[in-house]
Amino acid sequence: MPFTVREIESPDPVTRVAAADAALHLESDDIGEKMVLNMGPSHPATHGVLRLVLELDGEIITKATPDIGFLHRGNEKIAENMQYNQFVPYTDRLDYLAPLSNNVAYALAVEKLMGWEIPPRGKAIRNICCETSRISSHLLGLGSMALDLGAMTVFLYTFTEREKLYNLFELLTGARFTTSYTRVGGQIRDLPERFIPQLKKFLDDFEPSLNECDRLLTRNKIFVDRTKDIGVISKDRAIAYALSGPILRGSGIEHDLRRKHPYLDYDNYDFDVVIGSAGDCYDRYLVRIEEMRQSVRILRQVIDKLPDGPINVADWKNMTPPKSRVMTKMEELIHHFIVVTEGLDAPPGEVYFAAENPKGELGFYINSRGGGVPYRLKIRAPSFVNLSILPELLPGCMVSDVPAVLGSLDFVMGECDR
Amino acid sequence: MDFFFIITSLLKIVGILFVVILPMVSYAVYAERRVSAFIQDRLGPNRVGPAGLFQPIADMFKLLLKEDFTPRAANTFYYWLAPCLAVMPAIITIAVVPFGSTLFGVPMVIADVNVGILFVFAIASLGVYGIVIGGWASNSKYPFLGGIRSSAQMLSYELSLGLAVVPVFMVVGNLRLTSVVLYQIGHGWFIAPFVGDWMNPWKWLLAVPMLISFFVFMIAVFAETNRLPFDLPEAEQELAGGYNTEYSSMKFALYFLGEYAAMITGSAVIVTLFFGGWHFPGIPDGSHGWIFGLINIAVFFTKVAAVIFVFMWVRWTLPRFRYDQLMRLGWLFFFEIALVNIFLVAAILPYSSRL
């Protein structure tokens, strides 16, 4: 029997037998001179557990089949069995490089279902959360792309900056990595006193450091050679594959949910939507660098305009009331009991809310039949959608281009596999 | 061929191998880690012993105690042979490099053969076999790709390597490496001719093609020793370690040793050819007393260490080339430059002895 790609791809014995049967009737499936290379799920360039089955002609890829699902935890199903607030920690584990913005996107989705609008200060805090985690995620994307191309030093420079950001997250949420900061209708706590001065200091230090990485790579002949005209995604294909985030903008499409469907306070802040032109790895890299600068710009405006006042929705029937009131007032005690045991009382209906996450459009579709638990929760994970273009993108590239392409797509398998 | 010659040669071999090369390799690894840490704002190994100086010993024990695993599908004979082939040429090459003037009247070079540089090339090009055979015998796809890359890369850069040093020997008129050093003592280092008739402008004009020669040679040595930006056969992020993916324990350590030994040997050859070997202006040679003989050796190894530092600096600064870009660079750029450079030197040479 011929040794075919099909045989390796097939996930279970039944399909394998079916595939082998089909292969007998399909002569063109015989790969002959070509070599099948299995890249991943544990390979330094696949950022987690992506598996690629590459069919090689020499070093040139003729066919690429991504195999995902190694990190599948059934997050969507889990959501059906728990109250809205209990699902917040699970959103940390989607795009685990930007947990704060996942928290925010999820909270906003449920608030859209509830018909809530959180107070200005709460919004400003969420803006800070989104933009700091965007910087953190893009820094990792930039660093790991450089690492995959062999420039390890840039990776460590970006990690130094991320370390400072993680200190900020720890100050804000008490956790460095799995933040679980938001609740439906607000945040668990207000900004600590030291937070804003430290954030300012970080922003001042960050820009020179980013410029340093920029200088190390952007005009580096080897880096440009490795990324320019590699993994080109045209405008049409980007739209056809529903790509989003820096990858879509790298292809020259001005689409940013922060601008197109403003949520939080994004329409009050000045920032440019960064777009590339060629849609190659180099453009996606440049878009990420510039987006970090725009994030810094937004953060400075948020700090300047930071309003005072409450941070949470004052709907004590559906929010856990403040402890001081729970301990002193009968009615709040009852509300607290109901909210904790039964969850908030969501109206029946369907909502879809998408936020511009660092990796792209992170959407939550919630189908509610009333009560504290969603009937169905669907997560539109940007990494999952963005990876779908791989089978079209990789053929024609060399094995050496795989790290560049994967690095520039900047995906997270936690989100892709959910 | 007297008794004295045999004894001193043996002493030199044992001394160079066990007192200089092997410790230098282990401390090159240590230096690499410290230098990379310095470049990346880290500390590097600093726990074992004072300033982490015993780290190489700990590393060695770690590697010795690991399970020495042979994959079932591997071709056992070649699988075992390959690491030896990788480390051998790098160590043999050092034999013809003069690492000092004289010590107690004994010339500080193991074998002063009259075809010195040819010997260096002949042996150094054997280094590719260790990698190719290792990649093939592992019977695994990633090492296989690494082996293919390595053979193509080394063959292409061998040419630039050879052509780049032709100008040096056109000037010296002798293939013996000791004569290259002696010439530089008389006429100044090829890169910076400050000694001898250094007022001669033709001498300085000659330094220009020598500089080109030096750069081409240096880059070709980078490619020969598989160091970043030319570490395609290893390419951690692409080939998951390349040719040494299937190796463990001391066999892996031998590859490691081979790479660093090749780097040291390459640096030694660079120093000999372009930086005046053991010579430093103002320091007399070993015939003026044994202390000067020792100083000459120290000067040589200091220069080697400086070149190794450049190797490390480059490694931790630049990204990696792609396979086809590397070949294009080698064949269309360095090869041509080295070739043109030979004619350039030939054009300058008749005038440089005038005045």
mmCIF file of all heavy atoms in Angstrom, chain B residues 99-106 108 278 280 282-300:
data_model
loop_
_atom_site.group_PDB
_atom_site.id
_atom_site.type_symbol
_atom_site.label_atom_id
_atom_site.label_comp_id
_atom_site.label_asym_id
_atom_site.label_seq_id
_atom_site.Cartn_x
_atom_site.Cartn_y
_atom_site.Cartn_z
ATOM 1 N N PHE B 99 51.492 28.689 17.696
ATOM 2 C CA PHE B 99 50.810 29.386 18.788
ATOM 3 C C PHE B 99 51.783 30.141 19.686
ATOM 4 O O PHE B 99 51.403 30.667 20.716
ATOM 5 C CB PHE B 99 49.962 28.407 19.598
ATOM 6 C CG PHE B 99 50.719 27.208 20.098
ATOM 7 C CD1 PHE B 99 51.339 27.238 21.331
ATOM 8 C CD2 PHE B 99 50.814 26.075 19.316
ATOM 9 C CE1 PHE B 99 52.038 26.137 21.790
ATOM 10 C CE2 PHE B 99 51.511 24.974 19.780
ATOM 11 C CZ PHE B 99 52.135 25.012 21.013
ATOM 12 N N GLY B 100 53.070 30.164 19.320
ATOM 13 C CA GLY B 100 54.049 30.914 20.096
ATOM 14 C C GLY B 100 55.341 30.930 19.318
ATOM 15 O O GLY B 100 55.449 30.272 18.270
ATOM 16 N N SER B 101 56.320 31.692 19.805
ATOM 17 C CA SER B 101 57.597 31.737 19.077
ATOM 18 C C SER B 101 58.417 30.499 19.418
ATOM 19 O O SER B 101 58.267 29.447 18.803
ATOM 20 C CB SER B 101 58.338 33.018 19.433
ATOM 21 O OG SER B 101 58.380 33.183 20.850
ATOM 22 N N THR B 102 59.278 30.597 20.386
ATOM 23 C CA THR B 102 60.037 29.431 20.845
ATOM 24 C C THR B 102 60.055 29.448 22.364
ATOM 25 O O THR B 102 59.958 30.504 22.987
ATOM 26 C CB THR B 102 61.493 29.466 20.347
ATOM 27 O OG1 THR B 102 62.051 30.744 20.669
ATOM 28 C CG2 THR B 102 61.564 29.206 18.853
ATOM 29 N N LEU B 103 60.137 28.259 22.917
ATOM 30 C CA LEU B 103 60.226 28.151 24.379
ATOM 31 C C LEU B 103 61.394 27.204 24.640
ATOM 32 O O LEU B 103 61.367 26.056 24.214
ATOM 33 C CB LEU B 103 58.907 27.595 24.930
ATOM 34 C CG LEU B 103 58.630 27.802 26.413
ATOM 35 C CD1 LEU B 103 58.612 29.284 26.763
ATOM 36 C CD2 LEU B 103 57.313 27.156 26.785
ATOM 37 N N PHE B 104 62.444 27.703 25.301
ATOM 38 C CA PHE B 104 63.676 26.918 25.512
ATOM 39 C C PHE B 104 64.206 26.390 24.178
ATOM 40 O O PHE B 104 64.637 25.250 24.081
ATOM 41 C CB PHE B 104 63.432 25.752 26.479
ATOM 42 C CG PHE B 104 62.865 26.194 27.791
ATOM 43 C CD1 PHE B 104 61.611 25.773 28.200
ATOM 44 C CD2 PHE B 104 63.582 27.057 28.623
ATOM 45 C CE1 PHE B 104 61.082 26.182 29.402
ATOM 46 C CE2 PHE B 104 63.068 27.464 29.822
ATOM 47 C CZ PHE B 104 61.813 27.036 30.220
ATOM 48 N N GLY B 105 64.099 27.215 23.145
ATOM 49 C CA GLY B 105 64.627 26.826 21.842
ATOM 50 C C GLY B 105 63.743 25.888 21.048
ATOM 51 O O GLY B 105 64.071 25.522 19.927
ATOM 52 N N VAL B 106 62.592 25.493 21.625
ATOM 53 C CA VAL B 106 61.705 24.590 20.898
ATOM 54 C C VAL B 106 60.645 25.443 20.198
ATOM 55 O O VAL B 106 59.972 26.239 20.855
ATOM 56 C CB VAL B 106 61.011 23.609 21.861
ATOM 57 C CG1 VAL B 106 60.095 22.668 21.084
ATOM 58 C CG2 VAL B 106 62.045 22.843 22.653
ATOM 59 N N MET B 108 57.250 26.695 18.945
ATOM 60 C CA MET B 108 55.926 26.447 19.504
ATOM 61 C C MET B 108 54.893 26.200 18.403
ATOM 62 O O MET B 108 53.952 26.956 18.209
ATOM 63 C CB MET B 108 55.501 27.634 20.381
ATOM 64 C CG MET B 108 56.104 27.636 21.759
ATOM 65 S SD MET B 108 55.565 26.255 22.763
ATOM 66 C CE MET B 108 57.025 25.263 22.819
ATOM 67 N N TRP B 278 51.470 35.258 17.002
ATOM 68 C CA TRP B 278 51.868 35.530 18.386
ATOM 69 C C TRP B 278 52.589 36.854 18.544
ATOM 70 O O TRP B 278 53.045 37.204 19.635
ATOM 71 C CB TRP B 278 52.752 34.405 18.902
ATOM 72 C CG TRP B 278 53.814 33.984 17.916
ATOM 73 C CD1 TRP B 278 53.712 32.975 17.018
ATOM 74 C CD2 TRP B 278 55.094 34.576 17.722
ATOM 75 N NE1 TRP B 278 54.854 32.892 16.268
ATOM 76 C CE2 TRP B 278 55.715 33.861 16.685
ATOM 77 C CE3 TRP B 278 55.773 35.635 18.336
ATOM 78 C CZ2 TRP B 278 56.998 34.194 16.225
ATOM 79 C CZ3 TRP B 278 57.041 35.955 17.890
ATOM 80 C CH2 TRP B 278 57.638 35.233 16.834
ATOM 81 N N PHE B 280 53.413 40.766 18.914
ATOM 82 C CA PHE B 280 52.842 42.037 19.327
ATOM 83 C C PHE B 280 53.966 43.057 19.285
ATOM 84 O O PHE B 280 55.059 42.784 19.778
ATOM 85 C CB PHE B 280 52.255 41.940 20.739
ATOM 86 C CG PHE B 280 51.360 43.091 21.075
ATOM 87 C CD1 PHE B 280 50.031 43.108 20.647
ATOM 88 C CD2 PHE B 280 51.845 44.188 21.780
ATOM 89 C CE1 PHE B 280 49.216 44.172 20.940
ATOM 90 C CE2 PHE B 280 51.015 45.258 22.069
ATOM 91 C CZ PHE B 280 49.698 45.261 21.652
ATOM 92 N N GLY B 282 56.823 45.393 19.900
ATOM 93 C CA GLY B 282 57.567 45.735 21.110
ATOM 94 C C GLY B 282 57.896 44.542 21.982
ATOM 95 O O GLY B 282 58.727 44.652 22.874
ATOM 96 N N ILE B 283 57.274 43.407 21.741
ATOM 97 C CA ILE B 283 57.587 42.237 22.562
ATOM 98 C C ILE B 283 58.495 41.321 21.754
ATOM 99 O O ILE B 283 58.109 40.849 20.679
ATOM 100 C CB ILE B 283 56.310 41.490 22.974
ATOM 101 C CG1 ILE B 283 55.424 42.400 23.826
ATOM 102 C CG2 ILE B 283 56.652 40.215 23.744
ATOM 103 C CD1 ILE B 283 54.114 41.785 24.204
ATOM 104 N N PRO B 284 59.709 41.070 22.213
ATOM 105 C CA PRO B 284 60.635 40.224 21.463
ATOM 106 C C PRO B 284 60.197 38.767 21.503
ATOM 107 O O PRO B 284 59.332 38.390 22.288
ATOM 108 C CB PRO B 284 61.963 40.424 22.200
ATOM 109 C CG PRO B 284 61.584 40.836 23.558
ATOM 110 C CD PRO B 284 60.283 41.564 23.448
ATOM 111 N N ASP B 285 60.811 37.948 20.642
ATOM 112 C CA ASP B 285 60.386 36.546 20.612
ATOM 113 C C ASP B 285 61.113 35.710 21.662
ATOM 114 O O ASP B 285 61.909 36.225 22.454
ATOM 115 C CB ASP B 285 60.552 35.955 19.208
ATOM 116 C CG ASP B 285 61.999 35.934 18.774
ATOM 117 O OD1 ASP B 285 62.866 36.149 19.642
ATOM 118 O OD2 ASP B 285 62.256 35.721 17.585
ATOM 119 N N GLY B 286 60.859 34.419 21.679
ATOM 120 C CA GLY B 286 61.327 33.540 22.739
ATOM 121 C C GLY B 286 62.829 33.366 22.825
ATOM 122 O O GLY B 286 63.338 32.860 23.828
ATOM 123 N N SER B 287 63.577 33.759 21.800
ATOM 124 C CA SER B 287 65.021 33.575 21.854
ATOM 125 C C SER B 287 65.653 34.542 22.845
ATOM 126 O O SER B 287 66.813 34.407 23.201
ATOM 127 C CB SER B 287 65.616 33.768 20.454
ATOM 128 O OG SER B 287 65.237 35.036 19.957
ATOM 129 N N HIS B 288 64.895 35.543 23.322
ATOM 130 C CA HIS B 288 65.437 36.494 24.290
ATOM 131 C C HIS B 288 65.175 36.062 25.719
ATOM 132 O O HIS B 288 65.389 36.841 26.641
ATOM 133 C CB HIS B 288 64.827 37.881 24.060
ATOM 134 C CG HIS B 288 65.222 38.480 22.757
ATOM 135 N ND1 HIS B 288 64.669 38.103 21.561
ATOM 136 C CD2 HIS B 288 66.149 39.412 22.454
ATOM 137 C CE1 HIS B 288 65.210 38.780 20.582
ATOM 138 N NE2 HIS B 288 66.135 39.590 21.092
ATOM 139 N N GLY B 289 64.680 34.898 25.924
ATOM 140 C CA GLY B 289 64.407 34.430 27.289
ATOM 141 C C GLY B 289 63.070 33.718 27.318
ATOM 142 O O GLY B 289 62.162 34.044 26.547
ATOM 143 N N TRP B 290 62.960 32.730 28.219
ATOM 144 C CA TRP B 290 61.750 31.906 28.208
ATOM 145 C C TRP B 290 60.507 32.692 28.582
ATOM 146 O O TRP B 290 59.407 32.375 28.159
ATOM 147 C CB TRP B 290 61.908 30.699 29.126
ATOM 148 C CG TRP B 290 62.162 31.053 30.570
ATOM 149 C CD1 TRP B 290 63.358 31.273 31.156
ATOM 150 C CD2 TRP B 290 61.183 31.231 31.580
ATOM 151 N NE1 TRP B 290 63.207 31.582 32.468
ATOM 152 C CE2 TRP B 290 61.871 31.557 32.770
ATOM 153 C CE3 TRP B 290 59.792 31.135 31.623
ATOM 154 C CZ2 TRP B 290 61.226 31.810 33.974
ATOM 155 C CZ3 TRP B 290 59.151 31.388 32.831
ATOM 156 C CH2 TRP B 290 59.863 31.723 33.992
ATOM 157 N N ILE B 291 60.716 33.779 29.363
ATOM 158 C CA ILE B 291 59.543 34.559 29.780
ATOM 159 C C ILE B 291 58.866 35.182 28.570
ATOM 160 O O ILE B 291 57.639 35.243 28.477
ATOM 161 C CB ILE B 291 59.966 35.617 30.836
ATOM 162 C CG1 ILE B 291 58.727 36.301 31.431
ATOM 163 C CG2 ILE B 291 60.878 36.674 30.270
ATOM 164 C CD1 ILE B 291 58.002 35.436 32.411
ATOM 165 N N PHE B 292 59.710 35.605 27.595
ATOM 166 C CA PHE B 292 59.118 36.184 26.390
ATOM 167 C C PHE B 292 58.397 35.119 25.569
ATOM 168 O O PHE B 292 57.383 35.392 24.928
ATOM 169 C CB PHE B 292 60.184 36.893 25.552
ATOM 170 C CG PHE B 292 60.698 38.136 26.213
ATOM 171 C CD1 PHE B 292 62.012 38.218 26.656
ATOM 172 C CD2 PHE B 292 59.857 39.216 26.426
ATOM 173 C CE1 PHE B 292 62.485 39.359 27.280
ATOM 174 C CE2 PHE B 292 60.317 40.358 27.048
ATOM 175 C CZ PHE B 292 61.637 40.435 27.483
ATOM 176 N N GLY B 293 58.950 33.914 25.604
ATOM 177 C CA GLY B 293 58.273 32.806 24.921
ATOM 178 C C GLY B 293 56.877 32.598 25.465
ATOM 179 O O GLY B 293 55.919 32.432 24.717
ATOM 180 N N LEU B 294 56.778 32.666 26.806
ATOM 181 C CA LEU B 294 55.464 32.499 27.431
ATOM 182 C C LEU B 294 54.544 33.661 27.083
ATOM 183 O O LEU B 294 53.365 33.475 26.802
ATOM 184 C CB LEU B 294 55.629 32.389 28.955
ATOM 185 C CG LEU B 294 56.095 31.035 29.482
ATOM 186 C CD1 LEU B 294 56.173 31.066 31.004
ATOM 187 C CD2 LEU B 294 55.158 29.934 29.031
ATOM 188 N N ILE B 295 55.135 34.880 27.086
ATOM 189 C CA ILE B 295 54.308 36.054 26.768
ATOM 190 C C ILE B 295 53.770 35.935 25.346
ATOM 191 O O ILE B 295 52.605 36.244 25.078
ATOM 192 C CB ILE B 295 55.123 37.351 26.957
ATOM 193 C CG1 ILE B 295 55.390 37.571 28.446
ATOM 194 C CG2 ILE B 295 54.378 38.548 26.374
ATOM 195 C CD1 ILE B 295 56.255 38.759 28.748
ATOM 196 N N ASN B 296 54.618 35.456 24.417
ATOM 197 C CA ASN B 296 54.164 35.279 23.040
ATOM 198 C C ASN B 296 52.955 34.358 22.970
ATOM 199 O O ASN B 296 51.981 34.645 22.257
ATOM 200 C CB ASN B 296 55.291 34.710 22.173
ATOM 201 C CG ASN B 296 56.376 35.743 21.918
ATOM 202 O OD1 ASN B 296 57.534 35.416 21.751
ATOM 203 N ND2 ASN B 296 55.996 37.000 21.907
ATOM 204 N N ILE B 297 53.024 33.261 23.724
ATOM 205 C CA ILE B 297 51.894 32.330 23.731
ATOM 206 C C ILE B 297 50.658 33.013 24.289
ATOM 207 O O ILE B 297 49.556 32.912 23.742
ATOM 208 C CB ILE B 297 52.242 31.073 24.568
ATOM 209 C CG1 ILE B 297 53.377 30.307 23.894
ATOM 210 C CG2 ILE B 297 51.026 30.166 24.733
ATOM 211 C CD1 ILE B 297 53.868 29.119 24.675
ATOM 212 N N ALA B 298 50.862 33.795 25.359
ATOM 213 C CA ALA B 298 49.732 34.492 25.970
ATOM 214 C C ALA B 298 49.133 35.486 24.988
ATOM 215 O O ALA B 298 47.901 35.592 24.867
ATOM 216 C CB ALA B 298 50.184 35.209 27.242
ATOM 217 N N VAL B 299 49.993 36.202 24.251
ATOM 218 C CA VAL B 299 49.506 37.170 23.263
ATOM 219 C C VAL B 299 48.639 36.461 22.228
ATOM 220 O O VAL B 299 47.538 36.907 21.886
ATOM 221 C CB VAL B 299 50.688 37.886 22.576
ATOM 222 C CG1 VAL B 299 50.223 38.611 21.316
ATOM 223 C CG2 VAL B 299 51.330 38.863 23.529
ATOM 224 N N PHE B 300 49.137 35.309 21.755
ATOM 225 C CA PHE B 300 48.399 34.566 20.738
ATOM 226 C C PHE B 300 47.008 34.204 21.234
ATOM 227 O O PHE B 300 46.001 34.458 20.566
ATOM 228 C CB PHE B 300 49.178 33.299 20.363
ATOM 229 C CG PHE B 300 48.476 32.455 19.339
ATOM 230 C CD1 PHE B 300 48.489 32.817 18.009
ATOM 231 C CD2 PHE B 300 47.802 31.311 19.717
ATOM 232 C CE1 PHE B 300 47.841 32.050 17.068
ATOM 233 C CE2 PHE B 300 47.147 30.537 18.784
ATOM 234 C CZ PHE B 300 47.172 30.903 17.450
#
